[in-house]
């Protein structure tokens, strides 16, 4: 759960990684109004979504990361959302993903592998039991 707050923009930055800076993660340093952190340390970094879902592979920045950051003017006040359970987490978009299909894929891939391997193990057990019984019948009745 998140609590809507307002944040003052202090600074913008972008982390870049990958070959030729292929993956970018824009971030905005903010001061949270009504900050819920007990050990208030002043400013913190806010991301579009959760940090692990805010790189350019996980979400779309229009038209790119640098242009998206230009919307955040120094000393401007913007809406932000602070996590209730972990107040260090601050995001700049109310939703969790811009590509909602990514949430389904994250769940479906492991489920698919689970069903595939359970089916494979089940078939191996059936095959093993069938061949074991056939061998036992041959030994018992001289077939």
């Amino acid at each position: 759960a998140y609590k809507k707050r307002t944040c003052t923009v202090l600074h913008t930055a972008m982390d870049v990684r990958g070959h030729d800076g292929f993956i970018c993660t824009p971030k905005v340093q903010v001061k949270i109004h009504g900050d819920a952190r007990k050990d208030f340390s002043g400013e913190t970094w806010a991301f579009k979504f959760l940090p692990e879902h805010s790189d350019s592979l996980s979400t779309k920045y229009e038209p790119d990361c640098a242009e998206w950051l230009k919307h955040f003017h120094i000393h401007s006040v913007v809406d932000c959302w602070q996590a209730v359970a972990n107040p260090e987490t601050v995001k700049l978009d109310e939703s969790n993903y811009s590509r909602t299909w990514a949430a389904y894929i994250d769940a479906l891939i492991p489920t698919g592998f689970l069903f595939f391997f359970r089916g494979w193990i089940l078939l191996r057990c059936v095959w093993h039991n069938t061949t074991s019984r056939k061998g036992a019948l041959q030994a018992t009745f001289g077939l």
Side-chain angles (χ1 to χ4, degrees), residues 121-137:
I121 290 170
L122 181 64
L123 287 174
R124 293 281 296 160
C125 289
V126 169
W127 180 80
H128 180 70
N129 285 340
T130 303
T131 57
S132 295
R133 265 193 237 140
K134 184 177 178 184
L137 290 171

Side-chain angles (χ1 to χ4, degrees), residues 13-69:
M14 185 168 34
D15 294 335
V16 179
R17 68 181 197 276
H19 181 67
D20 295 329
F22 177 67
I23 304 166
C24 60
T25 307
K27 57 187 180 178
V28 180
Q29 191 175 32
V30 296
K31 178 182 177 194
I32 307 166
H33 301 239
D35 196 342
R37 295 178 293 171
K38 292 185 192 294
D39 299 328
F40 176 68
S41 59
E43 60 276 341
T44 190
W45 288 102
F47 297 86
K48 184 174 184 179
F49 303 116
L50 295 173
E52 59 269 20
H53 301 296
S54 293
D55 63 39
S56 59
L57 284 179
S58 302
T59 191
K60 181 97 171 125
Y61 290 98
E62 291 292 339
D64 59 29
C65 293
E67 287 296 317
W68 183 82
L69 274 176

Side-chain angles (χ1 to χ4, degrees), residues 1-5 36-37 81-90:
Y2 293 87
K3 178 131 176 115
K4 186 176 181 179
R5 307 236 187 247
R37 295 178 293 171
W81 287 263
Q82 188 173 33
V84 174
N86 181 13
E88 287 295 323
T89 301
V90 180

